[in-house]
Structure formats: C-alpha cells, structure tokens
C-alpha cells in the first residue's frame, strides 16, 4: 500500500464547501457541515474518502472507498455525504481515471450509509447503482425510488457475483439478511482481486491508538471527552487528544464500558454550574460521565495492538441471531487471498490475512477456529465485564419481544 497521503481542500475555505443540506434526515454530528479527507491507499488504484459522524461528540470516521477499474472508470463503495468538497475531490479522480461507473450500497440496515447513496448518485448520472438485497425502511417499507435512489439505474446485487458487469475485477459475498424483529441486517463484502483488498462495511474493524486525521480537523470533541470533571479546562495537547479519542472509542463500541459510571443527574446539574464553559457548544456545562482510574485497560483490551475484531454491538445484538450463517459467510470470505481490509469505520487500511478475518468471528463458536495451530489476537474474546450495558439492552429487547433471542453458538 502507498505511504499515507492526505488530500484536503487547499483552496480558500468557504462554509458551503462542507455543506450537507439533508442532515435532518439522519441528524448526526457534525450535522450540516462535513469536511472530507481523501487518502490514496494504493497508488492510482484505491482511495479512501473520510468524514466524521457521531452523537454527543462521540465522533468516528465514516468512509467511502473508490477503486479504479482496469477497463477505465471508477467503482464507489459506500458513498459518504456528497458535499461540494467531496464531489470536487471525486471529480479530480474522474478527470484522471474516468467516470464513476458503479456505486455500491453494501448494507440494508446502516441508514448512515443509505442516506447518501441517492444524493451522491445524482452527481454521476451515468453511473449504475447496485444495492444489497432485501432493502427495507422504517416505519414504512418504501420502494427504493421513494428513498431517493434513481429508479432507472438502480438494481439489486445478484446472489451470483459473476453476473455483474464488474465480475472480472471483484467478487463479493452477502451476509444476511439476519432477522432482527422490526428490521434486518445484511452486509456485502467486496474483494478487489488485483490489489488483494477486502472492502467491508461494519462487520470487522480495528482502532488506532491515536485519533485519525479526519477527527483531528476539529479536536474539540476529543478535548471534550478528555475531561475528568465538568470543571476541567483541558489543554489542546497530543496527550489529551489521545485520551479523548480512546474514550470515544469505548463509548462508540460499548455505549457504557465497565470503567464508565453515570452520576446522578442532580450531581451532574450541580457540576454544570461550576463548569468554566456553559455555552451551547459545551452542552451548557453538562458532563454526565465519571471514568474510573483504570479505564485505559478497557481500551487496550479492545485495541490490542491493532487487532481485528467484530464490534461489541454486532456481537451482542445482531450476529448472534444468525451464528451459523455468519460463520459460513466468514469462511467464504476467508477463501479469498486478500492482504488488506478497508472497513467503513475507524482504521484503514488494515494489514490482515484471511485467517485473521475468520478468527474475528470465533465469538460465535463453542470451539473457536484455529489456523495452523495458532490463535491470532483476533481469537481472544473481549473483556466480559465491558459487555454489561449491551447485554442489559439485549435482555430488555428480548423481554418485550422486540427482537428474537440469540441462538446457541455453533
């Protein structure tokens, strides 16, 4: 893979460059103002386009991947918000490598991915749009055209990947749909044969020890979560940026890990009155978190020197509803000879071998899979105590019959 090379907007910055007018549809931070970083992953072949999204300053990268086709033109996997800046960065590639030919929506449940596909496709009117099978919407199950996808050039990915116009360059495997009661989950992993690169949406990820470049464009969320008390004034230094990032990762992946306590709201309100910053941006001084002194232990168990793993939310609330189907899918993917993985969130690219991908799903097995008699770091389970909040959510959803119960491990 190429050395890190980031392209940001070097022209005079105007607010409209980052404008995303449809943000109320999925009202996630940073709302209507989204910056983009383009990174060349493999020279003249693969590019990542990173933006951020989050709630309560729990900001994580969301990523689109663009791949140059051998026959000329580009394939886009999982579009991000088509801001003027983003489209300009894509069009720079178009000018050099050819038109956007294919746009892929690889999920059916990730609304933070689905919402961008229709608007993005309008900027490239000759591109064919391919979507994962069994799309659905809530509260009403609407036709794809009603969800903004161009009706005349949108089609469902066939189960047989050889029946697509890009079959010579890509293979793919469809996980799901997994029934979750009110909705379904599915993901399509794409394998780019020439570069030995696997593209995934949410199924596996890796988190870096330090905040990624896209998060550093606005360090305020990092410094917000680096606080230990509402009254703290946090210096903008690398140590505090790293501290805030690591806590953000724990929030995003566990909701409430073992090391996080939530004080009584009466105490939170009292502390807010003592906060040095009580602006709207600072949530009026509210800081309803109290971290235990050993909180970093949870982060390093998760990060594991760049380990490849399945997000705790997927482990606890989604994939355990279909363990056999998930394992079968992981084994199919692991037959490809990839050397790199590009997920839609957190770190990218990840240097990983197929057996490491397969072992990341060992949490679904009674006897975890072993490759060559060795366990990789992906095989070792995450700390059970950090799953407490997620398991309580799961138990509540089961109690009221909102979602089906987990199935036994295979």
């Amino acid at each position: 893979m190429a050395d890190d090379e980031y392209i940001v907007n070097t022209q005079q910055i105007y607010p409209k460059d980052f404008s995303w007018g449809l943000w109320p549809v999925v009202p996630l931070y940073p709302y209507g103002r989204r910056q983009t970083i383009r990174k060349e992953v493999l020279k003249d072949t693969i590019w990542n386009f990173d933006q951020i999204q989050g709630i309560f300053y729990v900001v994580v990268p969301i990523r689109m991947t663009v791949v140059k086709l051998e026959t000329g033109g580009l394939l886009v996997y999982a579009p991000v918000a088509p801001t003027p800046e983003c489209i300009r960065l894509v069009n720079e590639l178009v000018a050099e490598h050819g038109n956007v030919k294919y746009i892929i929506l690889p999920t059916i449940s990730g609304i933070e991915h689905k919402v961008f596909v229709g608007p993005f496709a309008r900027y490239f009117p000759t591109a064919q749009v391919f979507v994962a099978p069994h799309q659905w919407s809530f509260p009403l199950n609407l036709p794809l055209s009603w969800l903004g996808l161009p009706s005349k050039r949108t089609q469902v990915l066939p189960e047989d990947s050889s029946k697509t116009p890009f079959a010579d360059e890509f293979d793919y495997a469809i996980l799901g749909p997994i029934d979750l009661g009110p909705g379904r989950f599915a993901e399509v992993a794409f394998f780019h044969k020439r570069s030995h690169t696997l593209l995934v949406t949410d199924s596996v990820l890796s988190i870096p020890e330090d905040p990624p470049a896209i998060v550093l464009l606005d360090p305020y969320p990092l410094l917000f979560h680096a606080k230990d008390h509402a009254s703290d004034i946090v210096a903008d230094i690398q140590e505090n940026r790293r501290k805030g990032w690591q806590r953000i990762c724990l929030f995003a992946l566990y909701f409430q890990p073992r090391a996080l306590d939530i004080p009584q709201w009466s105490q939170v309100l009292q502390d807010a009155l003592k906060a040095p910053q009580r602006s709207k941006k600072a949530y009026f001084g509210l800081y309803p978190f109290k971290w235990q002194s050993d909180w970093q232990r949870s982060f390093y168990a998760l990060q594991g020197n760049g380990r490849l793993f399945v997000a705790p939310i997927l482990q606890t609330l989604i994939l355990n509803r279909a363990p056999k189907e998930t394992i079968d899918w992981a084994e199919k993917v692991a037959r490809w000879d990839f050397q790199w993985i590009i997920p839609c969130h957190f770190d990218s690219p990840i240097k990983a071998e197929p057996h490491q991908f397969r072992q990341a799903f060992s949490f679904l097995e009674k006897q975890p899979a072993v490759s060559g008699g060795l366990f990789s770091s992906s095989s070792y389970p995450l700390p059970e105590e950090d799953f407490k909040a997620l398991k309580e959510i799961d138990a509540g959803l089961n109690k009221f019959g909102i979602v089906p119960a987990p199935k036994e491990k295979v």
Side-chain angles (χ1 to χ4, degrees), residues 198 204 308 329-330 333 338 353-361:
L198 180 69
V204 293
L308 187 70
W329 174 79
V333 172
F338 55 85
E353 298 178 8
H355 74 88
Q356 293 174 298
F357 176 89
R358 170 62 182 85
Q359 288 175 359
F361 296 88

Side-chain angles (χ1 to χ4, degrees), residues 20-45:
W20 168 234
L22 294 178
W23 70 265
V25 177
V26 184
L28 296 175
Y29 182 87
Y31 311 115
R33 187 181 186 276
R34 291 185 173 232
Q35 291 183 265
T36 305
I37 287 182
R38 187 182 76 207
K39 174 184 176 182
E40 186 175 58
V41 177
L42 183 62
K43 184 169 177 57
D44 293 331
T45 305

Side-chain angles (χ1 to χ4, degrees), residues 157-213:
L157 285 166
E159 291 289 334
D160 183 354
S161 62
S162 68
K163 295 181 179 179
T164 62
F166 43 81
D168 288 345
E169 300 189 51
F170 291 89
D171 199 354
Y172 60 76
I174 303 172
L175 170 61
I178 298 173
D179 180 25
L180 301 175
R184 298 184 296 271
F185 174 89
E187 176 169 329
V188 187
F190 264 59
F191 172 54
H192 185 230
K193 302 171 188 178
R194 180 161 57 99
S195 67
H196 302 279
T197 302
L198 180 69
L199 310 180
V200 297
T201 312
D202 302 309
S203 56
V204 293
L205 51 87
S206 178
I207 54 176
E209 183 175 13
D210 291 298

Side-chain angles (χ1 to χ4, degrees), residues 74-144:
L74 305 168
L75 178 143
V76 175
Y77 182 91
V80 291
T83 64
E85 178 190 39
C86 176
I87 297 302
R88 182 165 60 248
L89 291 171
V90 174
N91 280 332
E92 288 176 5
L93 300 183
V94 168
E96 186 172 355
H97 303 290
N99 290 331
V100 173
K101 287 188 175 180
Y102 310 111
I103 298 171
I104 311 299
L105 171 58
T107 180
I108 67 173
S109 51
I111 190 171
E112 77 278 16
H113 299 289
K114 294 166 72 169
V115 70
F116 303 129
V117 178
F120 186 91
R122 290 192 197 93
Y123 286 95
F124 305 98
T126 62
Q128 296 182 57
V129 180
F130 288 86
V131 303
H134 309 287
Q135 293 291 327
W136 61 280
S137 59
F138 182 85
L140 296 175
N141 204 10
L142 301 173
L144 292 177

